[in-house]
């Protein structure tokens, strides 16, 4: 299966982009001089001409954010967090959904289906927001350390994605179980776990990769939305910005992932749009490369069916 | 068309239970949030309290006008594009399809912000304000929200009709129609389009769900304070009411669609 | 043990659908003698496949009971039934759906033993090879996957698999309807040879009366979930009583142009009776549903004496 | 107008191009007189359906008639433009397909679909269409035409849908009906009713029928003339009585032998492979094509149809000494 996938050009391009991006995000400090900050712009005779944030025209390649940090480095720094968090969340969603759908059919509790029905009408961003706000309030009262906060946030993002996935899986499993060769295995007296392990899961596995990639895209989009809502992974603290005359509270993302960049400078949208457009376009690139991987997977699925 | 009211009620009941569970889960996990202090029928924006009831109706109406105009615009543009696509040579068709997957992977947030920024940029450069960019307290803007919200349905509807056109061509009933000596144009218009419209019903459910979450982001970025903004800022009972405001009409729509499709061909694999 | 390997009394299986309960099979009573092949013929919707699968306990029957080799297995819990499952095996209709696309032929053939935890690995492989040879497939197919085989070859693999556990009773559910007519004859002959060689009792299900006639000793006709007529095959062919059986027989085109009967008896599709018909013995092992006995035109000469005695 | 309605002469049809070209059908010659039912019999992959589709120029995109001629009513079909073909399809030649389940537009009422041909070809006004549709429905055996008219295809059984297709096919009173395995997917009781319908139409309108089937019983019951096809070639042809009483080609004998008949007193079914080549062949020349098991590669040395008795042709290899390449 994997060999066939690597032969698909689209899958290869998408896969290489993501892997190289994560690698670069880990090794870039040793490769480029990171500390470069340019809070002020001096013209040839040392006169301060401009103050951060600078547009990509003044400060290639991507310009800087409010406190002069180069967006290029911010984005590279954030890449590993965003992509890895997304992959972990997508994987956990698939894992739990598969786990539930194997046992969900047994338990007659229909609450699960009710939740699935209800989630159709509530945008996922609002759903996540509803859980995140009380979490932050609780964290404010008795802080639980950044790591536990991130873990709980991830669990929330996983929990939201599981119900609709469970109904997709149950659908898939039902259609597989109806196949003749499964009926014939049961006619041999095989137990349910044996049939699941030997026949249902391998048949599902080809779909799992596809669903994983789709979940990764949904998580990326959700992170971007939460960024705009100033709900940041790893929490945020508000800090007084600007000089003493106009102290504007602004939230600083502790974990530095992309949505954080967007979240903390969202108010500057109209004045310094590039600060938000740059991380957003990286979100778009990642989503596009995952889409390429999906097309590669779909082609390989078709080819082995024919 | 075997629409049954009882199955619609069953669906509503299950949505109600689902919403109830969802609205109480946060407080179960993370304790009662202090916002609970406000009365049942209230929502807060920038911690100023507003009473839910008179506002929710026209806010809902405002959001829905944007939603359905965008959907209609999306449908029209998609059909136009499909018709143009049929005239394209085969190689160009694949290129169009590839371009669309690229467009589709643009996150809605990107489109919304890019549009807003470019509108401001054009205004700064040329002084021409195409349309107002954000809904300050009570002036309702329509042009940009509808344009942004229609991008997603246009792409998805076009991709689906595009796929269906290809799929439908080699269906046996097309060969039968050709064997009856009917012209290709006649067949495309009377047979293929008619079928595509009916199978569009099946996919519209997923498109609707996507559009709802886009509507929310739209309202936030353009700060239109429609129904979604209320949903964001309410808790407990008022949250349930807001969700039901959306759930009741849309689940009715889904019920009608499913019953209509039930009569026709078998449920197609979800391609969107 | 009495001579009936399988006997079924009043077996019924209902499926609950959106539009009400569909009585797939209703009140079927049938005995299958050890070593014989009982043919089940019926058109689509007659419930013949459901009957086969209910006997195999793949469906839980609503009422009635199934006795296999003197043992009532109708509601036997799965755990207790498991050892007996190796006694009755099934051959499926669609060669492209009834074998796993991922396993090699060897794995497919040995899976029954893996499930029933019988024989060591070597014995399983030896048996797999011997059965491959018995169904006329080369030894090299052991390592191949099923997408490398034609429909006819896949059906042979299905037959080999059904015989791996040395069953006493085989249910063949439309084993040849998906095959080309030339391959069909080969598979039918293979089934006949294996049955006599391994002394198997067989239930042969098909919509094609010609195929059922060729394979079976006795033939049962099913219509809309009811058993309406049962007789030795030649008796049924020469002296059909139920109007539906008559229509069935007269619809089959005879491969002989001289005997084209331009005039054809009209096809009668009787309404589905409310209650399952009772079968009455009308002489030389010929059973027919009671409510058909009183129909006037049934009193033809050649079976008038039958009615008298 | 000569009594020859349809004349096909050494037609070759190929699919694909370059390296992976596939000759679906080679050197096909057959003719149908008006009022005659001709049967094309063969198994899957024998090219019988492709031949029938080529008569209406309905070959799939990558298929093309490379050489040979198809003349219908003294008009050469292969030279016709798409416009001219559209006037013939459904109007003078109409076709009935095997897969009745999917052959009707699921989103259109059945009654409307029946009269589309009339509306398109005969510009029949809307008012008359409904009346004609109802009479057509009666002709194909529906007792409640008004009710059936308003049904959608998904509400009808397989047998009913096939009758709708027949009603469609005969709506413009065509001279030739091509029935491509019209009853394979149907139960035998419905099959007879459907085949009788086609036969009644043929007699009533003195039309002719090209019947594509794999069931020799259907051929014996309904056909006047038979062409047996294998590996894209005609291996034997003749009138139905000669073919049944004196089949010569081993493949034809095999096809007839492997039908389980109700009168057989238990003798073993002969499969196609039991009729392996009698060494003698016919008058010193071997039967072509050499092997006929569908799996093995078939050796296509030059061969031609020889008239072994008036009107009875068999395909034999041209040279007597032929090296058989498996």
């Amino acid at each position: 299966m994997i060999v066939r996938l690597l032969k698909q050009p689209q899958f290869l391009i998408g896969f290489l982009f993501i892997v190289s991006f994560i690698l670069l995000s880990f090794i870039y400090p040793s490769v480029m001089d990171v500390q470069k900050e340019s809070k002020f712009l001096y013209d040839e005779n040392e006169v301060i001409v401009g103050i951060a944030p600078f547009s990509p025209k003044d400060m290639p390649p991507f310009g800087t954010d409010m406190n002069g940090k180069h967006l290029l480095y911010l984005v590279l720094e954030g890449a590993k967090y965003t992509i890895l968090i997304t992959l972990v969340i997508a994987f956990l969603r698939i894992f739990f959904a598969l786990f539930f759908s194997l046992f969900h059919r047994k338990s007659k509790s229909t609450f699960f289906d009710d939740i699935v029905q209800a989630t159709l009408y509530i945008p996922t961003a609002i759903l996540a927001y509803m859980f995140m706000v009380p979490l932050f309030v609780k964290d404010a009262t008795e802080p639980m350390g950044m790591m536990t906060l991130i873990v709980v946030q991830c669990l929330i993002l996983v929990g939201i994605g599981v119900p609709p996935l469970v109904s997709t899986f149950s659908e898939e499993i039902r259609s597989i179980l109806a196949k003749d060769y499964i009926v014939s295995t049961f006619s041999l007296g095989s137990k349910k776990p044996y049939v699941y392990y030997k026949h249902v899961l391998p048949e599902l596995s080809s779909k799992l990769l596809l669903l994983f990639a789709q979940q990764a895209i949904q998580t990326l989009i959700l992170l971007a939305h939460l960024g705009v809502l100033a709900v940041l992974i790893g929490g945020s603290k508000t800090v007084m910005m600007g000089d003493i005359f106009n102290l504007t509270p602004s939230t600083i993302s502790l974990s530095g992932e992309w949505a954080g960049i967007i979240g903390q400078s969202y108010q500057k949208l109209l004045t310094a749009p590039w600060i938000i457009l740059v991380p957003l376009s990286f979100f778009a690139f990642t989503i596009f490369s995952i889409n390429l991987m999906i097309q590669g997977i779909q082609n390989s699925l078709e080819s082995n069916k024919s | 068309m075997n629409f049954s009211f009882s199955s619609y009620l069953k669906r509503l009941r299950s949505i109600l239970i689902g919403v109830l569970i969802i609205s109480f889960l946060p407080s179960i996990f993370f304790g009662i949030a202090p916002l609970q202090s406000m009365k049942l029928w209230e929502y807060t924006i920038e911690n100023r309290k507003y009473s839910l009831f008179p506002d929710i109706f026209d806010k809902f109406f405002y959001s829905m006008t944007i939603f359905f105009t965008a959907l209609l615009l999306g449908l029209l543009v998609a059909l136009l594009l499909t018709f143009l696509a049929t005239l394209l040579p085969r190689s160009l068709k694949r290129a169009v399809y590839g371009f669309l997957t690229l467009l589709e992977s643009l996150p809605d947030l990107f489109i919304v912000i890019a549009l807003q920024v470019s509108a401001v940029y054009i205004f700064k450069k040329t002084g021409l304000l195409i349309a107002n960019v954000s809904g300050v307290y009570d002036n309702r803007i329509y042009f940009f929200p509808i344009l942004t919200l229609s991008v997603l349905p246009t792409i998805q509807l076009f991709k689906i009709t595009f796929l269906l056109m290809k799929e439908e061509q080699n269906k046996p009933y097309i060969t039968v129609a050709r064997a009856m000596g009917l012209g290709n144009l006649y067949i495309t218009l009377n047979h293929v389009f008619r079928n595509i419209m009916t199978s569009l019903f099946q996919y519209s459910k997923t498109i609707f769900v996507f559009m709802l979450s886009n509507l929310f982001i739209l309202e936030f970025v353009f700060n239109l304070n429609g129904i979604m903004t209320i949903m964001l800022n309410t808790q407990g009972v008022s949250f349930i009411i807001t969700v039901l405001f959306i759930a009741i009409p849309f689940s009715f729509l889904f019920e009608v669609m499913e019953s209509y499709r039930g009569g026709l061909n078998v449920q197609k694999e979800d391609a969107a | 043990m009495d001579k009936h390997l399988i006997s079924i009394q009043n077996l019924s299986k209902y499926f609950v659908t959106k539009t009400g309960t569909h009585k797939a099979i209703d009140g079927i009573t049938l005995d299958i003698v050890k070593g014989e092949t009982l043919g089940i013929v019926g058109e689509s919707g007659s419930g013949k496949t459901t009957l086969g699968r209910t006997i195999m306990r793949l469906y839980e029957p609503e009422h009635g009971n199934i006795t296999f080799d003197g043992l009532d297995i109708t509601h036997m819990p799965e755990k207790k039934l498991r050892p007996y499952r190796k006694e009755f095996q099934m051959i499926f209709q669609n060669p492209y759906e009834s074998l796993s696309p991922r396993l090699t032929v060897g794995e497919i053939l040995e899976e029954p033993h893996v499930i029933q935890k019988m024989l060591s690995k070597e014995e399983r492989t030896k048996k797999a090879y011997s059965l491959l040879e018995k169904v006329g497939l080369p030894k090299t197919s052991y390592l191949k996957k099923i997408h490398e085989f034609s429909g006819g070859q896949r059906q042979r693999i299905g037959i080999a698999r059904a015989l791996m556990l040395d069953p006493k009773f085989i249910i063949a559910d439309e084993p040849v309807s998906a095959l080309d007519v030339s391959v069909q004859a080969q598979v039918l002959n293979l089934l006949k040879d294996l049955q006599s060689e391994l002394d198997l009792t067989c239930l042969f299900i098909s919509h094609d009366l010609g195929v059922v006639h060729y394979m079976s000793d006795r033939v049962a006709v099913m219509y809309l979930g009811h058993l309406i007529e049962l007789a030795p095959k030649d008796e049924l062919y020469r002296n059909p009583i139920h109007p539906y059986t008559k229509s069935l027989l007269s619809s089959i085109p005879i491969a002989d142009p001289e005997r084209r009967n331009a005039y054809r008896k009209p096809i009668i599709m009787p309404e589905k009776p409310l209650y399952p018909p009772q079968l009455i013995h009308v002489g030389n092992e010929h059973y027919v549903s009671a409510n058909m006995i009183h129909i006037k035109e049934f009193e033809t000469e050649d079976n008038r004496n039958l009615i008298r005695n | 107008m000569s009594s020859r309605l349809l004349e096909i002469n050494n037609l070759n049809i190929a699919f694909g191009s370059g390296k992976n070209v596939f000759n679906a059908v080679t050197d096909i010659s057959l003719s149908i007189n008006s009022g005659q039912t001709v049967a094309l019999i063969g198994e899957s992959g024998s090219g019988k359906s492709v031949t029938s589709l080529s008569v209406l120029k309905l070959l799939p995109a990558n298929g093309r008639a490379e050489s040979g001629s198809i003349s219908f009513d003294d008009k050469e079909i292969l030279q016709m433009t798409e416009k001219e073909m559209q006037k013939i399809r459904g109007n003078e030649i109409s076709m009935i397909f095997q897969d009745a389940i999917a052959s009707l537009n699921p989103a259109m009422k059945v009654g409307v679909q029946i009269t589309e041909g009339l509306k398109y070809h005969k510009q029949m006004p809307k008012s008359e269409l409904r009346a004609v549709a109802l009479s057509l429905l009666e002709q194909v055996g529906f007792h409640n035409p008004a009710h059936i008219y308003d049904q959608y295809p998904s509400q009808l059984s397989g047998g009913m849908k096939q009758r709708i297709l027949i009603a469609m096919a005969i709506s413009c009173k065509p001279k030739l009906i091509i029935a491509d395995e019209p009853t394979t997917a149907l139960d035998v009781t419905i099959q007879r009713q459907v085949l009788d319908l086609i036969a009644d139409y043929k007699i009533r309108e003195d039309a002719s029928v090209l019947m594509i089937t794999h069931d020799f019983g259907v051929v014996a019951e309904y056909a006047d003339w038979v062409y047996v096809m294998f590996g894209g070639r005609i291996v034997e042809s003749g009138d139905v009585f000669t073919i049944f009483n004196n089949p010569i080609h081993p493949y034809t004998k095999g096809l007839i032998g492997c039908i389980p008949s109700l009168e057989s007193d238990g003798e073993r079914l002969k499969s196609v492979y039991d009729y392996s080549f009698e060494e003698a062949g016919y008058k010193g020349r071997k039967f072509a094509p050499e092997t006929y098991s569908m799996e093995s590669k078939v050796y296509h040395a030059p061969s031609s149809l020889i008239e072994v008795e008036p009107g009875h042709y068999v395909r034999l290899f041209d040279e007597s000494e032929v090296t058989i390449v498996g």
Side-chain angles (χ1 to χ4, degrees), chain A residues 104-241:
Chain A
H104 160 61
R105 278 191 356 285
K106 275 211 193 64
S107 64
K108 273 290 150 274
S109 76
T110 58
F111 291 123
F112 224 90
D113 304 332
D114 301 339
I115 294 175
V116 169
Q117 277 296 335
T119 49
L120 284 177
Y121 306 99
I122 306 171
T124 30
I126 294 184
L127 212 55
Y129 186 80
M130 271 171 56
F131 285 90
M132 290 288 188
V133 166
L135 174 65
F136 286 137
V137 164
K138 187 160 184 299
D139 179 44
T141 49
E142 343 112 1
M144 45 180 144
M146 184 153 137
M147 269 327 284
T148 31
L149 184 65
I150 291 183
V151 164
V152 173
Q153 282 176 322
C154 289
L155 284 179
I156 293 174
L157 295 181
V158 169
I160 301 168
V162 164
L165 254 179
V166 165
S167 66
T168 333
F169 275 127
S170 314
E171 207 58 49
E172 280 294 325
I173 290 173
R174 207 167 302 124
S175 69
I176 292 171
L177 285 180
K179 286 201 155 71
D180 266 1
Y181 74 87
I182 300 279
V183 170
S184 73
T185 334
F186 276 122
S187 75
L188 292 163
S190 55
K191 303 189 191 67
K192 249 199 165 50
Y194 171 85
V195 173
Y196 274 89
Y197 172 68
K198 202 74 166 46
H199 293 289
V200 176
L201 284 184
E203 181 94 7
L204 257 181
S205 62
S206 51
K207 268 250 190 227
L208 284 189
L209 207 54
L210 199 64
L211 285 170
F212 174 72
Q214 280 158 358
Q215 284 304 317
I217 290 181
Q218 275 176 20
T219 317
L220 275 173
I221 294 175
L222 183 56
L223 283 177
H225 286 188
L226 288 177
V228 166
L229 295 173
V231 164
L232 308 177
I233 298 296
S236 61
K237 63 178 181 342
T238 47
V239 135
M240 285 314 147
M241 276 298 298

Side-chain angles (χ1 to χ4, degrees), chain A residues 251-267:
Chain A
T251 50
I252 306 291
S253 146
L254 299 177
S255 66
E257 44 91 24
W258 288 346
I261 307 169
I262 298 171
Q264 67 193 26
S265 41
Y266 180 64
Q267 286 70 22

Side-chain angles (χ1 to χ4, degrees), chain A residues 58-123:
Chain A
D58 316 338
M59 197 69 77
F62 293 126
T64 70
D65 70 354
M66 274 90 69
N67 34 39
K69 281 214 186 66
H70 280 264
L71 275 170
L72 173 64
Y73 304 130
L74 281 177
V75 162
L76 280 177
E77 172 66 20
K80 52 180 178 294
Y81 298 121
T82 313
I83 296 180
L84 289 181
I85 289 174
T86 311
L87 295 180
V88 164
I89 290 177
F91 175 75
L92 287 177
R93 280 185 175 184
I94 298 281
F95 180 77
F96 284 120
L98 197 57
F99 183 79
F100 275 120
S101 58
L102 291 181
F103 301 104
H104 160 61
R105 278 191 356 285
K106 275 211 193 64
S107 64
K108 273 290 150 274
S109 76
T110 58
F111 291 123
F112 224 90
D113 304 332
D114 301 339
I115 294 175
V116 169
Q117 277 296 335
T119 49
L120 284 177
Y121 306 99
I122 306 171

Side-chain angles (χ1 to χ4, degrees), chain C residues 43-44 150 180-182 185-186 189 193 213-214 237 250 253-257 259-261 264-265 267 269, chain D residues 43-44 187-189 192-193 196 217 220-221 223 240-241 244-245 255 258 260 262-263 268-269 271-273 295:
Chain C
E43 295 192 317
S44 45
S150 73
D180 267 325
V181 71
S182 54
Q186 276 186 317
N189 289 339
D193 303 343
H213 185 84
Y214 176 67
Y237 172 63
S250 73
I254 303 148
D256 179 358
R259 297 187 23 249
R260 281 183 184 183
N261 39 24
R264 289 245 187 50
K265 292 193 265 321
I267 291 196
M269 295 293 223
Chain D
E43 292 183 297
S44 48
D187 287 324
V188 69
T189 44
R192 203 202 69 193
Q193 292 164 17
D196 286 352
E221 199 80 32
V240 72
F241 295 95
F244 271 87
N245 301 340
L255 275 188
C258 59
L262 291 168
E263 287 106 4
R268 195 174 169 74
L269 262 184
S271 99
V272 172
Y273 309 98
E295 282 80 26

Side-chain angles (χ1 to χ4, degrees), chain D residues 2-18:
Chain D
S2 76
S3 73
R4 273 274 193 282
L5 186 63
L6 179 75
E7 176 103 25
I8 302 181
N9 290 328
N10 20 60
L11 177 71
N12 292 318
I13 298 175
F15 284 87
S17 56

